[in-house]
Amino acid sequence: MSCFRTDSVAVQAPATCANLGPGFDSFGLAVGRYDVVQAAVAPGGVDVEVTGEGADAVPRDESHLVVRSMRATFDTLGVPQPGLRLSCVNKVPHRRGLGSSAAAIVAGIQSAVALTLDATLDLGTALTLAASLEGHPDNVAACLLGGFTVAWTAGGQTRAVALDVHPDVSPVVFVPPTSLATEVARDLLPEQVTQVDAGLNAGRAGLLVAALTRHPQELLAATEDRLHQPFRRTAMPASFALMDALRAAGVAAVLSGSGPAVLALSTPTHAVEPGRWTPAGWRCLELPVAFGAAAAAAVL
Ligand code: HSE
């Protein structure tokens, strides 16, 4: 008897902004723009249909990231590998620092679990699996849990806590026409940083938890970073020009993940008007803080 559902399942996984300035490889924010994956078990092989963001570039075979993530999840669940039929509707921009690979990985895990009869995967196992596929835990944690997340890895296990964002904080994401792969942006980082810079980041990261949840008036200071953004500046000058201008106007603006998208945290005292700030050729997305893919409401 098959251990899989015979009908299809659909899951959605949100875009995510990682780092948020000082929280390198740890902080993440889920924002309300979703990839949707519809999946069903098929007689054999894989049949992948993709529309939307990245449709012209992603593979349609076993190397498709949603498929790889589903395969890893079936192995973790201890069930045989089935044939698969997938339909992916992508809304998360690719190679912009908005967590498109995390969304694909998380959607793959959630859909594999949903397709498997009587299967459950606790959140910790799902998060550890997602982080191992992604290589860093910040985007996948926000994608799974939603809201503002702080993720860490200890003893080979990835863990995360999700916190509610203060209602005065509204994410505004600026998406440039040009892309940059995360691996390229990571290669720009130094092996070592100074004690002074590490100390500054530790203080700002602590402050950012307070600012995002309770004291939004401190967001500008709380989003200072010395660990990754300065080293990425030369690779994306237009992103930093926008960030610098927003910050000079008092708006807490940071690179979204490894860039080149820019996240601005709009507040009533420092509201971000898209018409004033969006550079020519860029997209401006005013997005709510999002639920994660693990929330019951996110399973369609
Ligand atoms: N923390 C990762 C980095 C996020 O900055 O490289 C990638 O989106």
Side-chain angles (χ1 to χ4, degrees), residues 17 51 77 82 129 212 237 270-271:
C17 303
T51 56
L77 293 172
L129 175 60
L212 266 178
H270 292 93

Side-chain angles (χ1 to χ4, degrees), residues 148-164:
F148 164 44
T149 49
V150 180
W152 71 99
T153 299
Q157 300 298 305
T158 299
R159 301 190 58 201
V161 289
L163 300 164
D164 289 333

Side-chain angles (χ1 to χ4, degrees), residues 18-19 24-25 136 138-139 182 186 232 257-258:
N19 301 329
F24 179 69
D25 275 1
H136 46 90
D138 42 2
N139 291 96
T182 299
R186 287 181 87 83
R232 290 170 160 168
S258 59

